[in-house]
Amino acid sequence: MPELLSYRPGELCWADLFTPEPAASERFYATLFDWEYVHAGAAFDHYTYAAAKGHMVAGITPSEDAEASWIVAFSTTSADDTAEQVSTAGGELEDGPRDFGIQGRSLFAVDSAGAHVGFWQPRAHMGAGLVGEPSSLCWAELAVRDTPAADRFYAEVLGLSSGALAAAGDAGYAAYHLEGREGPVAGRTVLGPEQRDVEPFWMPYFGVTDARWTEETATDGGASVIWSGANAEGRGVAVLADPWGATFAVLEVPSGP
């Protein structure tokens, strides 16, 4: 895949892991994805950048919550304008907008269907420099109960439209599209009755060459398997919870050159 130089507003651009055990989490994900790390230090709340093939691909930040969580972020030209749009669309502001030095400006919110989501206004740091390849972000999926509310929210805030995704093999599955962009930005699925205790959430997918190997390695490291199988295109998929409870998925993708 060609090197990314920028993201359009409304495109998926980043994923952050909030964890009570950052050092142990770094070791866990390095084993799965061969990540290396750059530590930003105390001036940036001990934020850590995960890197693959020389590109920043995700973030890890210490959290006081007992349970870890992944939160994905979408690119925006103005975190302040997005904050106003979030409020108008029925969401709640959670953190920010606030500056991260020359890197950019961030906003975390809860959408109108109850899922946590991030927004990133880039400066020096545009977001993930590698996507769609092993060890990098390749997709994200929103799981909610109130799908009309979620669809309206992301249409109003990011300009995304929802439509069917035949490759999903599920009539209830939708894809979010951005006008003028080839291919969908992200997916949206429905939380079923058996998931009544599950809060709505965004889940990042990371590319791997062998989903079964990644699944076995993750469980050896203390993770649990939520679902394992293949998508409608026959590519291996595993949905996992890391040892601290953060839910993420891995999907087999072609290796880059």
Side-chain angles (χ1 to χ4, degrees):
M1 176 174 287
E3 182 176 354
L4 289 169
L5 299 177
S6 64
Y7 287 94
R8 289 181 55 192
E11 287 186 310
L12 177 71
C13 69
W14 195 245
D16 279 306
L17 174 67
F18 292 80
T19 173
E21 298 288 347
S25 295
E26 287 179 26
R27 293 191 293 270
F28 173 82
Y29 286 98
T31 301
L32 298 188
F33 304 133
D34 199 28
W35 282 349
E36 297 178 340
Y37 297 103
V38 177
H39 298 96
F44 294 94
D45 300 327
H46 297 283
Y47 191 83
T48 297
Y49 292 95
K53 300 179 182 179
H55 297 279
M56 303 302 183
V57 293
I60 298 176
T61 190
S63 172
E64 295 181 356
D65 293 337
E67 188 169 307
S69 61
W70 278 100
I71 300 179
V72 304
F74 293 86
S75 187
T76 177
T77 55
S78 171
D80 295 271
D81 289 348
T82 300
E84 292 184 12
Q85 292 164 340
V86 165
S87 297
T88 301
E92 296 180 10
L93 304 181
E94 191 170 38
D95 182 80
R98 62 178 178 132
D99 281 330
F100 280 85
I102 64 168
Q103 302 287 42
R105 191 162 170 80
S106 77
L107 170 68
F108 288 100
V110 179
D111 68 26
S112 59
H116 295 261
V117 63
F119 303 92
W120 179 249
Q121 176 188 333
R123 290 171 183 155
H125 174 57
M126 68 171 184
L130 183 74
V131 296
E133 295 189 15
S135 303
S136 70
L137 191 65
C138 65
W139 187 243
E141 195 170 271
L142 174 64
V144 293
R145 292 181 181 82
D146 191 343
T147 55
D151 293 350
R152 285 193 301 271
F153 178 87
Y154 290 101
E156 293 177 20
V157 176
L158 294 175
L160 302 180
S161 60
S162 62
L165 185 66
D170 181 350
Y173 197 98
Y176 286 133
H177 296 268
L178 188 62
E179 185 177 0
R181 181 187 189 275
E182 184 179 355
V185 171
R188 189 265 293 147
T189 189
V190 183
L191 289 169
E194 74 282 1
Q195 298 171 294
R196 61 174 58 89
D197 295 329
V198 177
E199 294 184 0
F201 67 100
W202 275 101
M203 179 175 67
Y205 280 66
F206 295 100
V208 295
T209 56
D210 187 335
R212 299 293 80 76
W213 179 90
T214 308
E215 177 186 327
E216 292 171 3
T217 303
T219 54
D220 288 345
S224 56
V225 179
I226 298 172
W227 187 85
S228 177
N231 67 4
E233 298 173 325
R235 293 192 282 166
V237 182
V239 179
L240 306 165
D242 75 13
W244 305 275
T247 303
F248 67 103
V250 296
L251 171 66
E252 290 177 351
V253 296
S255 297

